[in-house]
Structure formats: C-alpha cells, structure tokens
C-alpha cells in the first residue's frame, strides 16, 4: 500500500498533549523503521502531530499500530467509512471459510483493524458517537454471524446437524441469535462484551437422527462463544455474555421457544422487559427471530398498567442509591457507567418512561437511548431542557468511557484514581489540563444525578442508606454486593443469589407477577431488618427458610410492607430464636395469626376458643381446630415475649389460658364422642390440671399434667347402650381426651400429656372417682404428691356445680394437719434424690439448678401445706403463693424476697430460652442480639451482668431453701 493520507485524516488535530513522550517515540521509531521509503513514511510525516498524543497515552493503540504497521497504513490511506465497509465485507467472507481455526484467527486480526480505525476516527473528530458505536456494533453482528456459521458447518461435517434448505439468511432454519443491551441497540462501546441470547424452534431445528435438539443447540451456542472469546496469540474478538436469557441460573445457554414463551408469560420481570427494548435478531434464522420478538411485543409494551406494575417499574431506578448531590461527585475513581450520575442512570431514566408509556405511544419505543430521549421530549413526557442536558451528558460520558477503554482494551468504565493514568484519559479526551477534565466530569455527573434523583421524587426508596440494592439483571450487581458487605453480611453473594432467585419466581410467594411486584418493595426492608439485628446473615437465612415455605405470598408480603414494625420483629426473632425460626419454617401456617387485625391487642388468644372447638362438626374436626388454635395462639404469645411486649407472668398465664380453652373444648368433644359410641352416662367428670398448667406458669414447651375426677350419678348407673361401669366409661373418656390432646393430625400436634400425678400413678386407674381421690389423699398420698396437689386447678367440668365440688375436694385434701418436721425431711430427701438423678442441664437450666425454680416451688408448696390446716393461703401460682405467705406472716420477709426475686428472674429467662432455643443450647454461642435480649429480660445492661445476677439470685434462693427446710 503506497497511497497518500486520506483527505479526512489530513484534518486530524492533536487530541491533547503527549503524556508519555518516551512511549510515543518508541512507537514512531518502530513505525518509521517498518515504513522505509513507502507511503506509510509520508503519512507519518503529515499525521504524526496528531498520532503522537494517541500513542503516547494508549499502550493498546500503540501496540495495534506497531505490531502490524500495514494496519496503520491501511487505516490512514482511505476514508474511514470506506475502510469500515471493506472490513465488514472481508469479515462476511469468513462465513464460508474451510479452515475454522484460521477463520477464527482472521476474525481477531480484523477486530484489531477495526479498533485502530474506530479509535483514530473517534479521537481525530472524524466520527461522532453514533458512527463509532455503529461501526463497533456492525462488526459485532458480522462476527457473530461468522462464528455461528462456522459452528454450524462444523456440526454438519461431524454428522450432528442435518443442513436443511437454507433460509434467506443462508443459515439452517430454526436457531437464531438475539443481540441484547448496547449491542442490540447499535450502541456498543469500545471494549464491550456482547450480550446475546440464543433460541431455537424445535419444530424447525434439524439435528441428525438420535441427536437431542436441546443438546445440539447448547453445543452450537458454546462453540459460537468459544470462537469469539477464546484468547489466542492473535487476541480475542468479543467477550460473550449469555446471561440475559430467561432465568440464567437454571436454564441452558440455548432456550427452546416454548420454554422462552412460558417463562416470559409466567415470571418475566420488568427489568427483562427493559432489556428486550433493545433486542434485535442478528444471526441464524433471523426471520424466525424477528417473529419471536414480535410475539413478545405485548409482554414488553403493555398498554394497561396498574399502580403496582408502575411502582415496580419505578423500582428499577429506586433500587440504586441516590446520595444527596454535592461536591463528592468527582472524577477521581468515578464509575462512568454504574456510578452516581453515570450512563446507567441516563438509560434507566429513559427506559422506565418507555416501559410505562410505550404501550400507548409507539413513538417512544426506540432502542437507542438518544432517540428515545428526543421522543420523550417531543411527546411532552419530559422537559426539553432535561432531554438536552441528558443528551449532552450521555455523549460526554460515552466518549470518556471509550477513552478509558482505549488505554488497555479493558472492559472498565472507571476513571483511574491514579493521577498519571487519568491524565492520559484527559489527553485522549482533548484536555490539556487534568484539572479542567476533572471539573467537566464532576459537572456532568452532578447534573445527571440531579435529574435522575428528581425522577419519581418523593417515592419510597428501595435502596439502603449503605448503598444500592439492585437484584434485577442476570447476575450479581457489584455495587449491591458492596452494599451488603457494608451492612455486615459475611456472604453477600449468597444473600444476593437467594433474593435474585426469589425475583425469578422460584418460590410460591413470588410465583405470581403481583407477588414479585410486592417483593420488590419488601426485599430492601428485609435486609435492613436483618442488618439491625447484629447477626444479618443468620437472620436473613432463617427468614429465607420461613419465606420460602409461604403459600400466601402476596397477602403476607403486603402485611410486612404495611407493618414495618411486624417485619422488624419477625426478622429480629429469626436472628436470635433458632427454635422459633425452625417452627415457622416447618409450619408457615403458624404465621396466619399475624393476619389477625387484633394481633397487637391484649393477649386473649383463648377468648371464645373452647366454644369454637366444641362446636366443630365432629371429633376429628375438633382435634384439628385445637391444633390450629395452639399453633396460632402460641405463635402470638411467643412473638410478644420475644418482642419485649409480654412478661413471663403475662405469657405464663396466656399459655395456660390457651391450654385451658383447648382442654375445655376437647373435653366437651371427647365426652360427646364417648356418649356417641358408648351411650350417655348419668355422672359428672372434671379435668384437673397440675404442674405448670395448674399454676398458670406455662412456657412455650410445657407439657400437661392432668387428672380426671369423676362422680357417678345418684344411682349406681351404667351406660344405657353398652352396659359400661362408671370406671370404664370415664376411663374411655380420659383415654379419648389424652388422644385428642396428644395425637398428631394433619394440623400438627398439641401437647405431651402426663397422667402420672394422679392417685397411685401408673398403677391406678386413668380416671379417678371422687371417693378414691378423697381416700387416697387422706391415707396414702406421699409428700411429693401433696406438693403437686397444691397446683391442682379445675380446668373443665361437665357442669358448674361439679367443678365447684371438685375444687372443694382438692381444698379439703390440702387442708389436713401435717407433720411439719417429717414433711421437711421428705422434701430435703426428694430434692437430694433429684440432684443425684436429674442434675440439670448446666448453668442455663432454670428449673433444676441449685436455687432454681424447683427449689423455689418446693418452698412455696411446703409452706402452704404446713399452714393450710390453720387456713393459711392456698395459691396454685408460685409467686402469688409467696406473696400471700408473706402477707400472712408465715415466713420471714427476707426469705420471701429472695425466693420471689430469684423466681421472677428465672421465669423471665426461662420463657425466652424455651421459645428461642432447644434445651441444652448455651445462649453464649448464640448471636449477640439474643444475649442482649436475655440481659434486658434480667434487668441488667449486659450478658455477663446477667450471669452475675443469676448466680447471686440463686445463691440467695438456695439459702432461703436451706433455712426453710432446716431440721434443727
């Protein structure tokens, strides 16, 4: 090539100062040495003043020119447009190349030719942005077509693909390539990757017999990508990104059309609608590709949008954190694409308006950003001034982005923090002073950010104060991962992956469009709530287990959105109550209680419950009603305890009230069932609660200690149908009741039921007659049985009169004369035996530790028994009993204070531990949030202070125990 400098290049002017004279001189020496006396030498003489700043700033462009000096001569010797057309035609001829490896190498050489041509035409002011991006996009189109043709030819040659009659594009029909993003819009940047998606029509695709169409389509796609992006000694063509296909985490790289349509119709998201604005069929069966995009048009351009859909579109923008615009938006280290005031903000500014308005206004549907901006202004949708400012900013930002990439052909959009490197970018941008360049960049970024921040102003932010929270798109957003790290998440990738899967409708709660729209608002709130717990990863993952099991997705999510306090409470509970979290994860239906508008009202879970259970249509229905009632009621109480809204005393009574109602309802149902199967019996029966239920000190996991007490009718009657005795009839009732209370059903379980506290324990009948009860407690009962009886409480009876009689029978049994010394001796022996055989589960065992609840209960029960004969107070509840004993002067005030203080403290702690943790788990190993809550429950400032207070309280309680049971 010996021609002179092309006329267009004769007008080149230096883009800026030479920033690295040594590098420029080395480039000149190599080029001059290779040029000899030919045309390139004469070109250098004329063009070098303009070329020196380029090669002195960009190692990549200098390398392109000096590796093949004929490349530079080719670029400079013809008009750039003519050179581009020649290059594209040369590329096109490679579709029929016989040597695939050589064709792939030639593509890489042509890419180098293109980059040098585009860079010089751009830097020299010969081409504007549209010409630059158009040239890059046109070459990408041809490169993809070549790669697909080569891959198909290879498949035909190896017998995997049967080449049918070619369509008009010259390719086997059925498979096609869609260009997405900037490539699809013809706006490709200088060192961009290309976003493509590959689809195939199974009815038109032609694999060889025995070859599965999907597998072949995947193989062709992978081969296409390798031909373009594999790095060889001759470089690479394009990095290929296939992740804009439907649900890339779970789909193959080539998608069948039926699968694609099913995806977009069922779980397609607004960000995918935005991506499809720029979609364009470029290779393969282009006609089928065009038809496919036309069929998707109603999905992309929806004529009618409700408020929720518009809000979700707005969310595409609102997930990006908007800082207050100020002087911190500077050039140093600025991300020209993804950062504040960057290219993405301009694109989202445009695309959100297109999605909302484009369904009714086809003129707004241009895939090109600047054309769409102009159309929005002409249509009166945005101010003309705003469109002009955003247009100028887009042109500047894209130009600077290209110059950053020209330094080393890196896919970066960030201006260097290094001043020397940024000076090179400034020089390529035509600035002789870096300070002026930095000022221009800052001015543009602030202007874009101001316009972007004003869009949908006043709407709810969907980012975090820590930064952006963007979960749309095919992969993890770097800024979002950074935000999650700043929020304290140890594994941001895992958290982001979970949320993005939810956005793709992979759980029931987000399977519907409405569910996904609501979740867009919910996601940042969940993350903020998890961050506030101090254990964000644990809180989020436990919440994820629960959330994944929800079936009522929209209703529950809407509840969380409308009641932030409830969401914060649930997520906080997840962080420090693993047992509670597992309960919700296994049984999300327990959460239904939160849908009750009275959830935050007084804890009255049992009001009217017994009647509702008893009124159930049949025994099985009553059992299921009881289980649902326990699930919802226990959940409500537990949440209130964990939310610091209910004390141990309140919770204990609430759990007991719940148990009372369930026992009453199922007692009625059980008696009705026995009557139905055995005939009505003319007697009376009562259910007596002992233990924690009797004393109304139940926790979340208390079992039921029960006794049934019956009285035959006035005659020694028998069942009218079966001829059963009273003992047998009420034994059947008791067995039926125990089954109703303990047997699992489809609705879950209720309680563990223990009848061993009845007279004679396991050796006696399961139902106790009044006469047997009175005789036993008068003549045979041991001390431990009398202690247990102090907590006896009539929960349900077949009649009000019989309930009163049963209560009087209990009272008579307790008020007999006692041998004070003998009973004290028995209690000490019993406690020592317990210490040997049941030593407790460590420091956090509130029940069996020395000075724990058992010691305190024994004191209260013993003092009541020894004073009952003289009409001393009888109370089932331990604390109430101690108060009454103190008021009656039946024990020293100091002992009462010690016992009550230790009792209340350990009850408060026990309630939290029973709800939050499994038995034996040391709270020291749990998140700090739980330890803080335990400390608050104990009335101290820190977990260590709680340990100290427990030690002191137990020491005092144990000393009171020793004093009360002193045998001296």
């Amino acid at each position: 090539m010996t021609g002179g400098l092309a006329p267009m290049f004769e007008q080149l002017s230096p883009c800026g100062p030479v920033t690295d004279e040594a590098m420029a001189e080395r480039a000149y020496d190599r080029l001059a040495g290779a040029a000899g006396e030919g045309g390139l030498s004469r070109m250098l003489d004329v063009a070098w003043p303009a070329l020196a700043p380029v090669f002195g700033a960009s190692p990549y462009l200098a390398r392109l020119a000096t590796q093949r000096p004929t490349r530079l001569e080719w670029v400079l010797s013809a008009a750039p447009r003519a050179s581009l057309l020649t290059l594209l035609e040369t590329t096109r001829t490679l579709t029929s190349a016989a040597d695939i490896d050589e064709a792939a190498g030639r593509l890489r050489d042509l890419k180098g030719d293109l980059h040098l041509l585009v860079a010089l035409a751009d830097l020299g002011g010969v081409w504007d942005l549209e010409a630059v991006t158009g040239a890059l996009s046109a070459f990408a189109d041809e490169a993809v077509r070549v790669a697909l043709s080569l891959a198909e030819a290879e498949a035909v040659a190896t017998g995997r693909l049967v080449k049918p009659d070619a369509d008009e594009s010259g390719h086997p029909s059925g498979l096609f390539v869609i260009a997405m993003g900037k490539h699809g819009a013809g706006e490709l940047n200088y060192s961009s990757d290309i976003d493509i998606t590959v689809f195939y029509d199974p009815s038109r695709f032609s694999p060889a017999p025995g070859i599965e169409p999907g597998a072949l389509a995947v193989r062709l796609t992978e081969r296409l990508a390798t031909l373009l992006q594999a790095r060889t000694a001759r470089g690479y063509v394009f990095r290929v990104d296939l992740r804009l296909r439907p649900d890339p985490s779970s789909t193959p790289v080539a998608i069948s059309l039926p699968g694609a349509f099913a995806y977009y119709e069922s779980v397609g998201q607004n960000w995918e609608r935005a991506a499809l604005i720029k979609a364009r069929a470029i290779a393969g069966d282009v006609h089928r590709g065009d038809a496919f995009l036309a069929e998707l048009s109603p999905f992309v351009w929806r004529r009618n949008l409700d408020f929720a859909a518009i809000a979700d579109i707005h969310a595409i923008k609102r997930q990006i954190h908007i800082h207050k615009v100020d002087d911190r938006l500077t050039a140093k280290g600025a991300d020209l694409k993804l950062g504040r005031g960057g290219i993405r903000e301009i694109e989202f500014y445009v695309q959100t308006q297109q999605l909302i308005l484009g369904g009714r206004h086809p003129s707004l549907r241009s895939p090109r950003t600047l054309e769409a901006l102009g159309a929005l202004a002409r249509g009166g949708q945005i101010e003309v001034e705003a469109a002009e400012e955003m247009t100028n900013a887009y042109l500047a930002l894209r130009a600077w982005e290209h110059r950053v990439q020209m330094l080393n052909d890196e896919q970066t959009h960030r201006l260097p923090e290094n001043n020397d490197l940024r000076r090179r970018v400034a020089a390529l941008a035509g600035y002789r002073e870096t300070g002026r360049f930095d000022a221009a960049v800052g001015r543009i970024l602030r202007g874009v950010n101001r316009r972007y921040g004003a869009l949908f102003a006043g709407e709810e932010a969907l980012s975090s104060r820590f930064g952006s929270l963007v979960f749309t798109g095919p992969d993890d957003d770097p800024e979002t991962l950074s935000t999650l790290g700043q929020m304290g998440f140890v594994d941001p990738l895992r958290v982001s992956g979970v949320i993005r899967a939810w956005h793709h409708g992979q759980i029931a709660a987000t399977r519907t469009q409405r569910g996904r729209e609501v979740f867009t608002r919910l996601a940042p709130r969940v993350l903020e709530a998890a961050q506030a717990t101090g254990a964000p990863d644990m809180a989020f993952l436990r919440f994820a287990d629960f959330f994944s099991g929800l079936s009522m997705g929209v209703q529950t999510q809407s509840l969380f959105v409308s009641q932030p306090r409830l969401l914060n409470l649930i997520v906080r509970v997840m962080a420090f109550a693993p047992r509670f979290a597992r309960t919700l994860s296994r049984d999300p239906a327990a959460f239904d209680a939160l849908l009750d508008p009275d959830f935050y009202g007084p804890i009255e879970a049992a009001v009217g419950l017994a009647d509702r259970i008893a009124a159930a249509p049949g025994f099985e229905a009553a059992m299921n009603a009881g289980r649902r009632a326990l699930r919802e009621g226990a959940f409500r109480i537990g949440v209130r305890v964990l939310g610091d809204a209910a004390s141990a005393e309140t919770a204990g009574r609430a759990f007991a009230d719940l148990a009372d109602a369930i026992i009453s309802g199922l007692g009625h149902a059980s008696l009705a069932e026995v009557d139905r199967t055995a005939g009505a019996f003319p007697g009376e029966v009562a259910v007596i609660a002992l233990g924690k239920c009797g004393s109304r000190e139940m926790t979340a996991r208390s079992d039921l200690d029960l006794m049934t007490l019956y009285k035959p009718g006035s005659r020694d009657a028998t069942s009218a149908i079966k001829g059963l005795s009273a003992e047998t009839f009420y034994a059947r009732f008791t067995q039926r009741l125990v089954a109703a209370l303990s047997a699992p059903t489809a609705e879950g379980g209720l309680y563990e039921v223990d009848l061993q506290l009845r007279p004679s324990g396991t050796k006696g009948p399961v139902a106790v007659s009044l006469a047997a009860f009175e005789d036993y407690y008068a003549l045979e009962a041991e001390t431990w049985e009398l202690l247990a009886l102090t907590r006896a409480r009539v929960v349900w009876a077949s009649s009000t009169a019989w309930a009163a009689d049963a209560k009087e029978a209990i009272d008579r049994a307790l008020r007999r004369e006692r041998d004070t010394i003998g009973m004290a001796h028995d209690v000490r022996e019993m406690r020592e035996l317990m210490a040997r055989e049941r030593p407790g589960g460590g420091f956090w065992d509130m029940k069996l530790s020395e000075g724990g609840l058992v010691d305190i209960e024994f004191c209260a029960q013993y003092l009541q028994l020894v004073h009952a004969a003289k009409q001393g107070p009888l109370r089932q509840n331990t604390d109430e009993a101690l108060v009454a004993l103190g008021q009656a002067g039946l024990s020293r005030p100091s002992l009462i204070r010690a016992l009550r203080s230790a009792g209340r403290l350990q009850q408060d702690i026990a309630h939290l531990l029973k709800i939050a943790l499994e038995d034996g788990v040391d709270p020291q190993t749990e998140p700090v949030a739980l330890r803080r809550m335990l400390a608050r429950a104990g009335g101290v400032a820190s977990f260590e202070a709680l340990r100290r207070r427990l030690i002191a309280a137990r020491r005092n309680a144990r000393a009171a125990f020793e004093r009360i049971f002193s045998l001296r």
Side-chain angles (χ1 to χ4, degrees):
M1 188 178 293
T2 59
L5 195 68
M8 293 186 71
F9 281 111
E10 290 179 356
Q11 307 303 316
L12 290 178
S13 59
C15 54
V18 179
T19 54
D20 189 332
E21 294 185 0
M23 188 165 70
E25 288 176 3
R26 286 194 299 272
Y28 180 87
D29 291 343
R30 290 174 185 166
L31 290 167
E37 299 298 326
L40 178 58
S41 177
R42 291 189 294 275
M43 292 178 191
L44 285 176
D45 289 341
V46 176
W48 187 249
L51 295 176
V54 175
F55 297 147
S58 169
Y60 172 62
L61 294 177
R63 186 166 63 250
L64 285 178
T66 58
Q67 280 178 342
R68 291 177 53 206
T70 54
R71 173 180 282 155
L72 178 62
E73 185 175 0
W74 171 78
V75 168
L76 295 176
S77 63
R81 182 64 184 169
S83 297
L84 174 64
L85 293 175
T86 300
L87 186 149
L88 294 176
E89 181 58 35
T90 303
T91 305
R92 205 169 290 124
T93 64
L94 297 177
T95 57
S96 57
D99 187 330
I100 291 179
D101 290 338
E102 176 55 30
R106 187 76 184 101
L107 269 179
R108 283 152 176 77
D109 294 340
L110 288 167
K111 182 269 184 88
D113 295 345
L114 175 82
H115 265 201
L116 189 61
L117 170 67
V118 169
L120 294 184
D122 183 5
L123 296 171
V126 177
W127 279 352
D128 61 12
L129 178 65
E130 183 176 4
V132 168
T133 58
L136 294 167
S137 301
F139 177 73
D141 289 355
E142 296 299 341
V144 172
R145 291 170 190 146
V146 168
L148 179 60
S149 294
L150 295 176
E152 289 172 339
E154 189 176 57
V156 170
T158 56
R160 292 190 296 275
L161 177 66
V162 176
K163 188 169 185 177
D165 294 335
D167 62 11
E168 294 180 17
S169 65
H171 290 83
S173 62
L175 181 143
F176 54 89
V177 181
I178 300 292
M180 308 283 282
K182 288 184 171 62
H183 182 193
E187 299 172 332
L188 211 59
N189 62 49
Y190 190 74
S191 292
S192 177
D193 58 3
I194 55 174
D195 294 295
I196 59 174
T197 54
V198 179
F199 300 91
Y200 67 95
D201 184 342
S203 67
R204 302 176 65 174
F205 196 42
S206 304
I211 302 296
E212 200 277 319
L216 179 59
V218 166
R219 183 162 186 154
L220 288 172
T221 303
E222 291 173 341
R223 184 61 171 143
L224 178 157
T226 298
L227 287 169
L228 292 175
Q229 67 187 5
R231 291 182 179 270
T232 71
R234 295 162 84 169
Y236 72 100
V237 189
F238 288 103
R239 292 170 291 265
V240 177
D241 193 336
L242 297 163
R243 291 171 296 175
L244 284 183
R245 67 185 186 274
D247 197 4
S249 64
S250 58
T251 57
V253 292
I255 310 291
S256 71
L257 290 190
F261 284 125
Y263 173 84
Y264 288 122
E265 289 171 2
S266 60
V267 294
Q269 299 172 65
N270 279 318
W271 72 264
E272 291 171 306
R273 293 176 58 211
L276 286 168
I277 291 174
K278 298 179 180 293
R280 179 169 56 92
I282 60 167
D285 191 343
V286 174
H287 299 298
R288 186 66 189 95
D290 289 339
F292 168 68
L293 293 177
E295 289 176 84
L296 284 182
S297 181
F299 166 70
V300 179
W301 305 111
R302 292 165 57 186
R303 287 188 59 83
N304 298 306
L305 295 167
D306 59 20
F307 174 80
I310 293 174
D312 193 52
I313 293 168
H314 290 188
I316 296 174
K317 168 256 180 190
R318 286 150 53 217
Q319 290 167 329
I320 300 175
H321 189 52
I322 302 297
H323 298 259
K324 181 181 178 182
V325 178
D326 57 28
D327 291 338
R328 289 176 296 179
L329 282 174
T330 58
K332 195 171 186 177
D335 190 323
L336 299 173
K337 177 182 179 181
L338 303 178
R340 290 180 288 148
I343 296 166
R344 182 171 66 171
E345 291 190 355
I346 299 175
E347 292 173 337
F348 279 6
Y349 183 95
V350 172
Q351 289 168 356
T352 51
Q353 301 305 291
Q354 286 183 291
L355 288 179
I356 293 170
L357 302 167
R360 297 185 302 277
H361 303 285
S363 62
L364 303 179
R365 297 179 185 179
S366 172
R368 299 179 65 81
T369 303
L370 295 184
E371 287 180 4
L373 265 173
L376 286 167
R378 288 190 298 274
Q381 306 300 336
I382 60 175
E383 297 176 358
V384 173
E385 181 184 354
E388 291 177 350
E389 182 178 3
M390 294 295 248
T391 295
N392 293 333
Y394 183 81
L395 292 170
L397 290 167
R398 290 299 307 271
W400 297 334
E401 173 190 47
H402 288 173
R403 281 141 185 79
V404 170
Q405 294 171 347
M406 286 174 187
L407 294 184
N408 290 296
D409 189 30
E410 294 175 340
Q411 189 190 9
T412 181
H413 315 277
R414 191 177 293 276
L415 287 173
E417 292 193 20
N418 178 278
N419 291 335
D420 180 63
L421 292 177
R422 201 168 66 264
R423 186 164 61 93
R424 296 185 181 206
V425 176
L428 292 176
Y431 288 85
R432 295 195 167 274
E433 297 179 11
T434 308
R436 290 183 178 273
F437 173 70
D438 287 352
V441 171
R443 187 166 55 252
I444 290 290
L445 295 179
R446 288 191 292 275
V448 171
N449 194 234
R450 186 179 299 108
R451 293 286 183 184
Y452 182 69
L455 192 64
F456 319 123
E459 291 197 21
E460 169 193 9
L462 296 179
S463 61
S464 163
R465 67 184 185 279
F466 296 95
S468 299
L469 290 174
V470 178
F471 299 102
T472 55
D475 51 9
D476 295 297
D477 176 65
E479 292 293 324
T480 296
L481 296 180
S482 174
T483 298
L484 292 173
Q486 292 181 55
M487 293 177 79
F489 287 94
V490 175
D491 193 352
L493 274 171
R494 183 178 185 182
V495 174
S496 178
V498 169
I499 293 180
R500 291 196 306 106
W502 291 346
H503 271 295
H504 277 95
Q506 294 182 11
I507 60 173
T510 59
R511 203 151 287 154
T512 65
Q513 178 178 318
R514 177 64 177 141
R516 292 189 297 278
E517 289 168 351
V518 179
F519 178 67
T520 299
R521 297 181 63 198
L522 179 63
R525 300 182 185 208
V526 171
L527 294 171
E528 289 280 2
Q531 187 276 332
T533 68
D537 290 88
M538 188 176 297
F540 175 78
L541 293 177
R542 288 173 178 168
F543 180 85
D545 288 340
F546 153 71
F547 191 64
S548 299
L550 284 177
S551 57
M552 300 172 61
V554 173
Q555 188 176 8
T556 302
Q557 292 187 81
S558 298
L559 178 69
F560 280 149
V561 169
S562 64
Q563 295 191 29
R565 180 178 66 162
L566 175 61
L567 174 64
N568 292 338
L569 172 59
I570 291 298
V571 175
R572 186 157 60 95
V573 165
M574 296 294 178
F576 53 68
R579 180 183 172 276
F580 203 70
R582 280 193 294 275
T583 298
L584 279 180
S585 300
R586 290 192 299 264
D587 186 15
F591 188 75
D592 293 349
L594 296 180
L595 303 179
D596 185 342
D598 296 327
F599 180 80
Y600 281 105
I603 302 179
E604 295 177 349
V607 174
L609 177 58
D611 292 338
R612 293 197 298 274
I613 294 173
F619 186 64
E620 290 290 333
M623 291 174 64
N624 285 327
R627 280 147 183 78
R628 287 192 297 272
L630 177 66
R631 181 175 62 214
E632 295 176 4
F635 178 77
R636 172 181 293 188
I637 298 165
V639 169
R640 299 292 287 276
V641 171
L642 290 167
D644 297 333
S647 66
E649 180 183 6
T650 302
R653 291 180 179 278
F655 278 122
D657 288 344
L658 186 61
D660 288 359
I662 292 171
I663 293 168
S664 297
L666 291 177
H668 181 92
S670 298
L671 184 59
E673 181 69 5
V674 177
D675 282 345
R676 184 183 67 82
T677 58
F681 195 87
E684 301 275 14
V685 66
V687 180
I688 297 169
L690 301 102
K692 292 288 188 183
C693 183
S695 64
R696 295 165 64 82
E697 297 170 314
M698 292 184 74
T699 67
R701 283 183 283 160
S702 294
D703 57 10
L704 296 180
D705 292 293
L706 299 180
M707 178 193 308
T708 56
L709 187 63
Y710 70 89
K711 179 179 67 171
S714 57
R715 297 174 286 111
D716 186 9
T718 58
S719 166
I721 298 176
K722 303 291 186 180
L724 300 179
S725 67
E727 179 177 333
T728 303
F729 181 90
Y730 289 114
R732 289 193 179 183
F733 162 78
T734 303
Q735 291 161 350
R736 184 71 66 178
L737 176 63
V738 170
L741 289 169
S742 59
T745 74
E747 292 286 349
L750 274 178
Y751 299 100
E752 291 185 17
V753 179
D754 192 341
L755 299 177
Q756 294 187 68
L757 293 184
R758 70 186 187 275
S760 299
T762 57
K763 297 178 182 178
V766 293
V768 183
S769 70
L770 176 60
F773 175 89
E774 292 179 326
D775 288 346
Y776 185 83
Y777 283 103
L779 303 173
E780 299 180 48
E782 298 183 19
T783 298
W784 70 268
E785 293 175 295
L786 294 169
L787 294 176
L789 193 64
T790 62
R791 294 167 129 182
R793 184 169 58 84
V794 178
V795 173
W796 174 81
S798 51
S799 72
T800 304
W802 173 233
D805 289 347
K807 184 178 183 304
E808 288 179 9
I810 295 168
D811 195 70
R812 287 194 300 271
L814 291 173
R815 292 197 181 277
R816 296 181 184 276
E817 289 286 346
R818 308 294 176 197
D819 175 2
T820 304
I821 299 299
M823 184 169 282
H825 184 273
D826 290 346
V827 173
R828 290 192 68 95
E829 280 194 344
M830 184 167 50
R831 186 65 182 97
E832 290 167 3
L833 179 63
M834 290 180 69
R836 290 194 300 271
E837 296 186 353
R838 297 171 60 194
F843 180 82
W844 296 99
D845 188 329
M846 301 294 136
K847 179 178 179 180
L848 296 174
S849 296
E850 276 202 0
L853 295 174
V854 164
D855 283 355
I856 298 164
E857 291 163 2
F858 279 179
C859 290
Q861 292 160 8
Y862 167 78
L863 289 172
Q864 290 183 93
L865 282 173
V866 298
H867 295 292
K870 296 180 180 180
Q871 298 305 306
L874 288 176
R875 306 284 191 275
Q876 293 99 353
N877 181 271
T878 303
D879 192 65
E880 290 179 4
L882 290 171
V883 170
L885 289 164
Q887 290 173 344
L890 299 178
S891 185
R892 293 182 180 179
S894 60
L895 301 182
I896 296 294
R897 283 196 299 273
L899 293 170
R900 289 191 66 209
S901 176
R904 289 197 305 271
L905 172 63
Q906 291 180 97
Q907 285 280 20
D908 286 339
I909 303 304
H911 268 284
L912 283 176
L913 292 178
K914 290 292 185 182
I915 291 171
L917 304 176
E918 300 293 350
D919 288 337
V921 175
D922 187 347
Q924 180 70 53
T925 64
E926 291 298 309
V928 65
L930 175 59
R931 301 200 297 274
R932 287 174 181 163
M933 187 172 190
L934 287 169
R936 285 198 305 273
V940 292
S942 69
F943 189 67
E944 286 307 312
L946 175 63
R947 291 180 64 95
R948 292 193 296 271
R949 186 179 176 197
L950 273 170
I951 290 169
R954 286 172 176 169
R955 184 187 304 117
N956 293 337
R958 185 63 184 187
F961 176 91
E962 294 291 346
R963 183 72 185 89
I964 289 170
F965 291 103
S966 172
L967 299 180
R968 291 175 295 166

